Amino acid sequence: MIARKNMGRVSPFLLVLLAFGFFFATYNLLTLVMHKASKSTSEEWFDPVTKRPDEVRRESNAKFHVALTATDAPYSKWQCRIMYYWYKKMKDVPGSDMGGFTRVLHSGNPDNLMDEIPTVVVDPLPEGLDRGYIVLNRPWAFVQWLEKATIEEEYILMAEPDHIFVNPLPNLAHGDHPAAFPFFYIKPAENEKIVRKYYPEEKGPVNNVDPIGNSPVIIKKSILEKIAPTWMNVSLRMKDDPETDKAFGWVLEMYGYAIASALHGVRHILRKDFMLQPPWDVEVGKKFIIHYTYGCDYTMKGELTYGKIGEWRFDKRSYLQGPPPRNLSLPPPGVPESVVRLVKSVNEASANIPTWDTL
């Protein structure tokens, strides 16, 4: 009995020791949790490949200059006129950070839109160097423009003629991290063998190459000045390599920009809300730009017939030799909002641009 009683007693010293031990363990656990939470918050705050938090402090000079490259072909001209119309309409809407505008005309000579749209004329690549791939002129155009132009804004939006602003666009960039739209068909990891020709292993993992093109991108002017010559040289090397040319095809220059950015250690904030592409994206919502690169074909019942000419259609390639007529017919009932908004935007612009049919 005496032995059993002694076993049931606990020394006061042992109780104090146990209490101290529990306190110390709890303190360490709480400290670890707080550190993890702090680290997680910090990584989310500055992670260049996530959506920028709304709380991040805006840059003091948040305005960005809108720049698009273009040719003097009729097909390019009518798209530029629509794009510039919607730029002017959205520029001063609350929430917009758009500054000035430049059409970078890489045909080498002025055209008949010089008085309508602010334009800087630059030279095309030497004859034959683009091998019929006209967009190879894009990086060379930006190199020349950045050298000769006076750009007041700290940031630049690289845009394209077939972009329509549908909501006021803020500066989506964060400091030295540009903002870009992620394209589902730009897949550096799946094309690592080819990407490694231009982005060697010693530069880092292949996922340092963002799944983007050069447009739409909002980027600091000082950073673009460094990337642009590399973008041009990488794109030309790619076009000169049969394996790369075959693998990347019409998106070769997009890979050129993505790889050039990675070579300079630049990562982009990926913003899926930057742009929508009808007919695949069906709602406009809070997205900022309609990109009408795909044809929109539907039956009169509103059913998509992609790959087959529809009873109702809108495809920019139907108007290679001149602008679409004013007052295009609206899509039939059942067609997604994004397509309806696109056609209404084209109609509004053409109705309000003088000499639309005759220029």
Side-chain angles (χ1 to χ4, degrees):
M1 293 292 294
I2 293 173
R4 200 170 284 177
K5 280 185 179 180
N6 287 339
M7 286 177 65
R9 291 178 183 173
V10 179
S11 165
F13 175 77
L14 183 58
L15 287 172
V16 171
L17 188 62
L18 285 170
F20 179 79
F22 280 122
F23 169 80
F24 186 74
T26 304
Y27 173 81
N28 281 343
L29 180 61
L30 287 172
T31 302
L32 181 63
V33 170
M34 291 172 67
H35 174 71
K36 286 275 189 183
S38 174
K39 185 177 180 183
S40 174
T41 302
S42 176
E43 287 174 350
E44 181 182 352
W45 194 265
F46 292 105
D47 184 355
V49 294
T50 59
K51 183 176 178 180
R52 187 186 74 178
D54 291 336
E55 309 88 72
V56 172
R57 181 180 60 83
R58 297 294 296 278
E59 297 296 315
S60 57
N61 183 11
K63 294 288 185 181
F64 56 84
H65 194 97
V66 180
L68 74 156
T69 55
T71 73
D72 60 1
Y75 176 66
S76 177
K77 285 180 180 178
W78 68 257
Q79 293 175 55
C80 288
R81 298 182 86 189
I82 291 174
M83 200 273 196
Y84 186 57
Y85 171 86
W86 284 103
Y87 155 80
K88 291 189 294 182
K89 187 156 185 176
M90 287 291 177
K91 178 179 181 291
D92 296 321
V93 174
S96 167
D97 284 327
M98 287 191 278
F101 186 101
T102 301
R103 179 181 63 133
V104 185
L105 180 63
H106 55 76
S107 300
N109 295 296
D111 66 3
N112 57 356
L113 292 182
M114 302 293 291
D115 294 333
E116 180 178 330
I117 303 174
T119 301
V120 170
V121 179
V122 297
D123 293 325
L125 288 167
E127 187 175 355
L129 197 58
D130 65 7
R131 302 189 183 187
Y133 182 53
I134 191 69
V135 293
L136 269 186
N137 285 279
R138 186 176 293 155
W140 173 224
F142 272 109
V143 168
Q144 295 175 83
W145 175 62
L146 290 165
E147 286 179 350
K148 68 164 56 177
T150 300
I151 306 161
E152 295 181 1
E153 297 83 1
E154 186 179 4
Y155 290 84
I156 292 169
L157 164 66
M158 291 188 284
E160 296 182 12
D162 59 353
H163 286 177
I164 292 175
F165 296 108
V166 288
N167 279 306
L169 178 59
N171 188 345
L172 302 176
H174 175 211
D176 288 343
H177 293 305
F181 177 80
F183 290 90
F184 71 90
Y185 48 79
I186 302 296
K187 300 176 179 180
E190 292 186 15
N191 293 280
E192 182 168 4
K193 178 176 176 287
I194 293 174
V195 170
R196 286 303 188 191
K197 291 184 177 185
Y198 314 96
Y199 188 74
E201 288 189 14
E202 57 266 27
K203 287 291 184 179
V206 72
N207 60 12
N208 282 351
V209 180
D210 291 325
I212 60 171
N214 83 289
S215 176
V217 166
I218 299 178
I219 185 170
K220 265 189 176 178
K221 177 177 60 178
S222 59
I223 296 175
L224 182 57
E225 287 172 339
K226 296 174 183 177
I227 292 175
T230 308
W231 170 26
M232 179 185 71
N233 291 328
V234 168
S235 298
L236 288 171
R237 282 182 57 204
M238 286 179 165
K239 190 64 180 175
D240 208 36
D241 179 70
E243 183 184 21
T244 305
D245 191 22
K246 182 180 179 180
F248 290 164
W250 65 275
V251 298
L252 180 147
E253 168 268 340
M254 297 172 70
Y255 273 99
Y257 174 80
I259 291 172
S261 298
L263 288 169
H264 286 274
V266 176
R267 301 300 304 274
H268 295 69
I269 303 165
L270 303 182
R271 296 289 300 242
K272 291 183 179 179
D273 60 345
F274 209 151
M275 188 168 75
L276 67 146
Q277 302 184 99
W280 308 118
D281 298 310
V282 298
E283 295 180 354
V284 174
K286 294 183 179 180
K287 295 182 175 71
F288 301 106
I289 294 170
I290 287 180
H291 181 212
Y292 55 101
T293 190
Y294 298 108
C296 300
D297 289 273
Y298 291 88
T299 68
M300 295 312 291
K301 294 180 180 180
E303 298 166 340
L304 181 65
T305 64
Y306 192 77
K308 178 182 177 182
I309 295 178
E311 297 173 277
W312 180 94
R313 77 180 325 228
F314 175 78
D315 187 339
K316 66 178 185 177
R317 294 166 190 82
S318 300
Y319 307 102
L320 295 175
Q321 303 304 319
R326 285 177 164 144
N327 197 28
L328 292 167
S329 63
L330 294 179
V335 170
E337 174 213 0
S338 61
V339 180
V340 176
R341 180 74 176 272
L342 165 60
V343 177
K344 285 184 175 180
S345 297
V346 170
N347 281 346
E348 179 179 331
S350 64
N352 288 281
I353 295 174
T355 66
W356 173 255
D357 297 315
T358 58
L359 186 65

